[in-house]
Structures are given as structure tokens and as C-alpha cells.
Amino acid sequence: MAKLVSKTYGEALFELACEENKTDVLFEEVKAVSEALKDNKDFLNFLNNPKINVEEKHQLVEDVFKQFVSADLIGFIRLIIEKNRQNELEAILEYFIAQVKEYKNIGVVYVTTPVELNDKQKENVVNKVLETTKYETLEMNYSIDETLLGGMVIRIGDRVVDSSIKTKLEDMTRELYNLRVE
């Protein structure tokens, strides 16, 4: 259900941004609001508190964001509060951000390796991903997992390329267990 709520409202905001040719502006504003929400959990707790009335919540949103974001985004957040969906606000904003990134051909890539990659290796990974995908720019996220032993795991959205030695060994082990000795 939460996925449906974030998708419904996130798509509505995305359609508004496209229709009014404000994709770039709203994208930057939504990223800023999303970061603010992540950094200040008390703000979300206030919005989710059932003892605080809707008008007080609206006023807080106005006071906090009016100098930083457009009236469109403030109105959108107010609508979410009116519909009592503020507990989904972070997910809605994240959905919108993902939609805009897809629209702008920005790929979000997660690379996991057993050791840190040097600059040349990172450049090679970026070039290979750009060659093999539709993306024009990439947001690269690197992490280390020593259990991989070697190789790397690359995740872009719901696609995963796993060339790690750990996975290859696990695959070989499964194949060996499935062999029948005659």
C-alpha cells in the first residue's frame, strides 16, 4: 500500500513538474526538502503527531520552507498533510527524485568490490556502464565488501551484474551438489 501511495503522489508531482516545465527547479527543491527531512526527524514526528491539527502542520511547513522552495512544492506538501499522508512524505519525495533522474537519463549505480578501486578503475567502470546503458550521466556509489574475494557487483535500479568470485564459487558449489555420480 505504501508503495502505491508514494507512486501515486510522486507521479502527480512529476506530471505537474513536466506540464509546467519546472522539472529542474522542483527536482532541486525536492532534493533539498528530502535532505532536510532526513536530517531532522523531529520535523516528521511533528507532522505525524495526531494530536497536532492540520493548520498547525501547514503553518510549520510554511514557516520552515517558504523562503527556500516554491509555492508549488509547499502546496503539494500541504495537500499531502490534508490527505493525512505525511507519514509517506519521504517515500513520495524519493519516488519523485527517482522519476526525474530516469527522465533526465541519470543512472544511479552501486558498485561493491572487495577492495577500494583506484581512480583509473573507477573511470573504467563509469565508461563501461555508460557504454552499456541509456544513461548520459551517472551517480556512482562505491562500497567495499571483503567477503566478495574478487570481482565486483554492480547494481543499477533492479538490474544486478555480479562478477564476484564469491558468487562464482557459490554457483560452482551448487553445480557440484547437483551432479549425479553414476
Side-chain angles (χ1 to χ4, degrees), residues 152-163:
M152 68 179 61
V153 178
I154 301 174
R155 185 173 64 84
I156 307 169
D158 59 358
R159 293 182 299 169
V160 176
V161 176
D162 188 343
S163 65

Side-chain angles (χ1 to χ4, degrees), residues 3 5 14 25 71 76 81 89 101 109 133 139 168 175:
K3 190 78 164 171
V5 169
F14 178 71
V25 171
F76 181 77
I81 293 168
L89 183 57
K101 285 179 181 178
V109 182
T133 64
E139 283 183 13
K168 289 178 182 179
E175 287 178 25

Side-chain angles (χ1 to χ4, degrees), residues 19-67:
E19 286 173 11
E20 295 189 3
N21 203 20
K22 295 182 179 179
T23 310
D24 291 333
V25 171
L26 281 174
F27 181 57
E28 293 304 320
E29 290 179 357
V30 167
K31 286 194 310 187
V33 170
S34 183
E35 282 301 311
L37 294 177
K38 286 177 186 167
D39 292 343
N40 191 349
K41 294 298 179 188
D42 290 338
F43 183 82
L44 279 175
N45 291 339
F46 180 87
L47 291 180
N48 287 320
N49 189 332
K51 294 180 181 176
I52 298 171
N53 70 41
V54 171
E55 281 310 311
E56 288 180 275
K57 293 175 184 182
H58 283 178
Q59 191 60 51
L60 178 67
V61 168
E62 288 275 338
D63 292 344
V64 170
F65 293 119
K66 72 179 171 191
Q67 60 210 25

Side-chain angles (χ1 to χ4, degrees), residues 1-165:
M1 175 82 175
K3 190 78 164 171
L4 182 61
V5 169
S6 62
K7 182 176 188 238
T8 301
Y9 284 93
E11 280 182 2
L13 183 58
F14 178 71
E15 288 173 15
L16 171 74
C18 290
E19 286 173 11
E20 295 189 3
N21 203 20
K22 295 182 179 179
T23 310
D24 291 333
V25 171
L26 281 174
F27 181 57
E28 293 304 320
E29 290 179 357
V30 167
K31 286 194 310 187
V33 170
S34 183
E35 282 301 311
L37 294 177
K38 286 177 186 167
D39 292 343
N40 191 349
K41 294 298 179 188
D42 290 338
F43 183 82
L44 279 175
N45 291 339
F46 180 87
L47 291 180
N48 287 320
N49 189 332
K51 294 180 181 176
I52 298 171
N53 70 41
V54 171
E55 281 310 311
E56 288 180 275
K57 293 175 184 182
H58 283 178
Q59 191 60 51
L60 178 67
V61 168
E62 288 275 338
D63 292 344
V64 170
F65 293 119
K66 72 179 171 191
Q67 60 210 25
F68 303 110
V69 301
S70 65
D72 289 334
L73 186 54
I74 288 175
F76 181 77
I77 295 170
R78 288 175 58 112
L79 174 70
I80 290 170
I81 293 168
E82 285 172 24
K83 299 292 184 182
N84 198 29
R85 299 294 191 188
Q86 61 274 3
N87 60 329
E88 297 295 326
L89 183 57
E90 285 183 294
I92 292 166
L93 298 179
E94 288 301 318
Y95 185 88
F96 173 80
I97 290 168
Q99 285 295 104
V100 173
K101 285 179 181 178
E102 198 63 32
Y103 175 74
K104 295 172 78 103
N105 286 321
I106 301 171
V108 180
V109 182
Y110 296 89
V111 179
T112 306
T113 56
V115 295
E116 189 165 343
L117 298 177
N118 63 38
D119 291 340
K120 181 67 176 163
Q121 291 169 321
K122 288 179 180 180
E123 183 183 326
N124 289 339
V125 171
V126 168
N127 291 335
K128 192 65 171 175
V129 172
L130 285 172
E131 285 175 18
T132 57
T133 64
K134 66 176 181 162
Y135 298 113
E136 296 170 7
T137 57
L138 301 173
E139 283 183 13
M140 301 299 293
N141 300 284
Y142 296 96
S143 63
I144 296 172
D145 179 356
E146 295 173 356
T147 65
L148 294 180
L149 304 175
M152 68 179 61
V153 178
I154 301 174
R155 185 173 64 84
I156 307 169
D158 59 358
R159 293 182 299 169
V160 176
V161 176
D162 188 343
S163 65
S164 67
I165 292 175

